[in-house]
Amino acid sequence: MTSVDSQSSGPAGWDYSPAPERTRVPIKDEYGLFIDGAFRAPKSRRRFETINPATEEVLSRVSEAGPADVDAAVEAAKAAGPGWARLKPAERAKFLFRLARRIQERSRELAVLETMDGGKPIKESRDVALPLVAQHFFYHAGWADKLSYAFPGRTPKPVGVCGQIIPWNFPLLMAAWKLAPALACGNTCVLKPAETTSLTALHLAEILQEIELPPGVVNIVTGAGETGAAIVDHPDVKKVAFTGSTEVGKHLARSVAGTGKKLTLELGGKSPNIVFADAAIDQAVEGIVSSIWFNQGHVCCAGSRLFVQESIADEVIDKLAHRMRSLRVGDPLDKNTDVGAINSSTQLKTIERYIDAGGDEGAILHEVNDQPLPEKGFWCRPCFFTGVQPSHVIAREEIFGPVLSVMTFRTPEEALSRANNTPYGLAAGVWTNTGSKIFEIARKLDAGVVWCNTYNKFDASSPFGGFKESGFGREGGLQGLRAYVRL
Ligand code: NAP
Ligand code: MG
């Protein structure tokens, strides 16, 4: 047995020894911009620090691409375009297969780095994110020489230079969602990772060098919002793909309007998770846990509004509280950790503001997880609110943290109308034992993805995307190819 500070206590007096991840990842003191196949010092001469949100330790200094750097990246992508598009599709496929295999070979390193830079638990980056990243490249490698089957009777042509901007919650997976279909369809790319999680994209750039991807086909420029805006506004960028907040998405839609650029937006959500009285309750509780506390709630499709049928509400709430008590919060590099660090101090403050607002508006906060938290870093224990009214800010706005709003309903009609009462339409969950109810409800939910008796399941072959203020366009599957071709 070790002392209390070096271990976390589990449910009902169970103690766990630490299980730290021991893989060492070589992190450079500073990183350049990946332009035309090489790492270059930024012309802007500006760099910023990226930190580990679990320790607040500075991991590295990353380049901030200014307008001249973005110009160079777009120029490189434009110059590489014709050669890449002319390459035999089966040869393009080979590059994607090679990339997927090399990601698998380096997956442990990438998972550890993703966890260090972003705060997500290692078991999630290792067992969920990285396998999906590799899968996405494998899947799209398969499409590269079969595009004529995807669009029967049409002649799919590349769009040109794609400007791709991604958020911090799934850094590598979002990079894969953007790059894989673009490359399979013969386009070239300029990708901008989020400011707080640039490192895995830069290690991906090293892999692109290892597989000898022709220079300029993928360029990775780091920086803040202005860097993203410079990519979006660049006249030689023909397609913009953005994943991030609804606020920035709306702004991008305005700046792209009238330019002829293609645009897809994957934005925020406030997804309903509906549990009927005839559901397998323990299974549903596990689904609720993974839908909102998984990845600290840093999930765009998080099931942040739980609707439970009134007759089982007490039972579900008791079980949820019991499960919440046992979740292990803390060191993301510990293989037993369930809930890691909040990505940044800014995001932590946002979450705390919402928790305060919930209390101020009269909802009841349940926060029974009392494990000791590390002294440094950004932490938020998983929690839920009951007594939530549909008008409460915690029932309407995206919190992007481990905070669940629990509400009840009596009839399927009431569940549906309350679930759809949101400006968002990204995802939804339905839990019931009745097959016909699943089809009936799923059909009537305004959501791009509906999971039945499960939650947060992803596959490269199924399209993902939203309705209403959650954006438009799909990523993944055959439908996801559409954004990257001219027909
Ligand atoms: P964000 O502020 O919109 O940032 C997303 C990306 O856009 C980042 O790379 C960001 O750079 C960049 N950016 C910021 N301002 C920009 C501008 N004016 N022009 C161009 N690019 C700009 O979103 P976030 O807070 O990082 O991410 C969380 C949000 O993403 C949530 O709302 C979540 O729901 C959404 N999300 C949606 C999906 C989906 O598939 N629907 C998936 C994941 C996340 P910086 O990093 O430097 O700010
Ligand atoms: Mg970081």
Side-chain angles (χ1 to χ4, degrees):
M1 292 293 282
T2 42
S3 73
V4 174
D5 351 333
S6 62
Q7 68 184 16
S8 317
S9 52
W14 284 79
D15 287 334
Y16 297 87
S17 296
E21 168 67 47
R22 298 203 188 276
T23 308
R24 291 272 161 264
V25 177
I27 300 178
K28 299 193 175 84
D29 292 339
E30 53 182 36
Y31 287 84
L33 302 167
F34 185 67
I35 296 176
D36 208 16
F39 284 94
R40 301 182 179 183
K43 290 182 185 161
S44 70
R45 295 165 174 237
R46 286 200 298 270
R47 292 188 199 259
F48 59 95
E49 289 177 344
T50 188
I51 65 163
N52 179 339
T55 60
E56 298 176 52
E57 161 205 10
V58 174
L59 295 173
S60 182
R61 288 165 54 76
V62 175
S63 301
E64 183 181 333
D69 298 301
V70 170
D71 273 347
V74 175
E75 209 168 288
K78 192 179 173 190
W84 180 245
R86 256 198 323 271
L87 203 64
K88 267 202 194 143
E91 294 302 313
R92 280 207 304 272
K94 282 187 201 165
F95 280 107
L96 287 170
F97 278 123
R98 226 180 273 166
L99 179 54
R101 282 197 303 269
R102 196 64 190 126
I103 287 168
Q104 285 184 318
E105 284 162 5
R106 289 180 62 173
S107 72
R108 194 59 170 248
E109 163 205 333
L110 291 168
V112 171
L113 191 57
E114 188 102 324
T115 285
M116 290 175 75
D117 202 16
K120 70 172 66 212
I122 183 69
K123 76 176 172 197
E124 201 184 289
S125 44
R126 183 194 59 191
D127 301 343
V128 182
L130 261 297
L132 283 170
V133 171
Q135 187 207 38
H136 221 76
F137 284 108
F138 276 122
Y139 174 81
H140 285 91
W143 271 124
D145 60 351
K146 299 174 198 70
L147 292 174
S148 58
Y149 298 97
F151 306 102
R154 317 285 294 271
T155 314
K157 295 253 169 52
V159 179
V161 178
C162 302
Q164 307 180 311
I165 297 167
I166 56 175
W168 44 259
N169 60 340
F170 285 90
L172 258 188
L173 186 59
M174 293 299 109
W177 281 21
K178 299 279 179 282
L179 296 174
L183 297 177
C185 294
N187 303 284
T188 55
C189 304
V190 177
L191 175 86
K192 189 196 92 67
E195 212 176 326
T196 55
T197 53
S198 300
L199 292 184
T200 42
L202 293 164
H203 281 226
L204 184 69
E206 291 174 7
I207 295 181
L208 298 175
Q209 287 181 320
E210 287 172 3
I211 66 157
E212 297 176 2
L213 187 76
V217 170
V218 172
N219 305 275
I220 298 178
V221 291
T222 45
E226 296 85 78
T227 307
I231 296 172
V232 172
D233 294 337
H234 200 291
D236 287 331
V237 167
K238 299 300 176 201
K239 145 94 189 140
V240 174
F242 172 80
T243 297
S245 60
T246 295
E247 187 192 344
V248 175
K250 284 181 180 173
H251 172 76
L252 298 196
R254 280 191 293 271
S255 43
V256 164
T259 61
K261 293 180 187 183
K262 280 170 89 99
L263 175 68
T264 43
L265 298 175
E266 303 270 10
L267 309 175
K270 191 74 187 175
S271 299
N273 201 4
I274 306 172
V275 185
F276 286 97
D278 64 353
I281 291 186
D282 288 336
Q283 193 185 324
V285 167
E286 276 315 297
I288 297 162
V289 168
S290 78
S291 85
I292 182 71
W293 293 326
F294 161 92
N295 203 32
Q296 303 74 251
H298 294 344
V299 185
C300 52
C301 46
S304 51
R305 288 183 300 145
L306 175 65
F307 294 98
V308 189
Q309 199 153 17
E310 211 169 77
S311 58
I312 54 160
D314 289 346
E315 183 182 355
V316 169
I317 289 166
D318 282 352
K319 288 190 163 167
L320 212 49
H322 177 76
R323 192 64 181 85
M324 183 164 73
R325 192 171 290 124
S326 71
L327 288 176
R328 314 194 52 194
V329 189
D331 182 7
L333 280 173
D334 189 304
K335 292 168 201 161
N336 293 318
T337 292
D338 298 304
V339 182
I342 299 300
N343 182 263
S344 64
S345 64
T346 319
Q347 186 58 24
L348 179 59
K349 287 191 193 105
T350 304
I351 298 169
E352 287 170 345
R353 259 201 316 275
Y354 277 111
I355 295 178
D356 291 345
D360 292 347
E361 288 192 305
I364 302 152
L365 176 64
H366 301 253
E367 201 190 19
V368 295
N369 188 298
D370 57 2
Q371 289 175 36
L373 294 177
E375 268 170 27
K376 289 213 137 193
F378 315 126
W379 307 98
C380 177
R381 291 198 172 88
C383 64
F384 66 84
F385 279 99
T386 55
V388 180
Q389 298 299 325
S391 58
H392 286 171
V393 69
I394 53 167
R396 288 186 288 113
E397 296 182 14
E398 181 178 50
I399 301 175
F400 225 60
V403 184
L404 174 68
S405 295
V406 183
M407 290 165 277
T408 58
F409 67 92
R410 289 181 189 169
T411 64
E413 293 71 32
E414 188 191 352
L416 255 177
S417 71
R418 296 190 62 185
N420 283 339
N421 181 14
T422 165
Y424 294 111
L426 193 55
V430 183
W431 300 82
T432 167
N433 231 347
T434 316
S436 57
K437 207 187 284 170
I438 289 179
F439 287 111
E440 175 78 8
I441 300 281
R443 218 162 34 83
K444 293 180 179 165
L445 280 166
D446 298 333
V449 180
V450 181
W451 285 292
C452 298
N453 294 329
T454 185
Y455 207 95
N456 273 337
K457 290 281 179 287
F458 300 94
D459 191 281
S461 65
S462 46
F464 183 89
F467 293 120
K468 303 198 279 188
E469 291 200 9
S470 293
F472 50 80
R474 293 292 177 266
E475 293 191 303
L478 193 155
Q479 293 80 352
L481 299 170
R482 186 67 187 77
Y484 290 98
V485 292
R486 280 184 298 124
L487 294 175

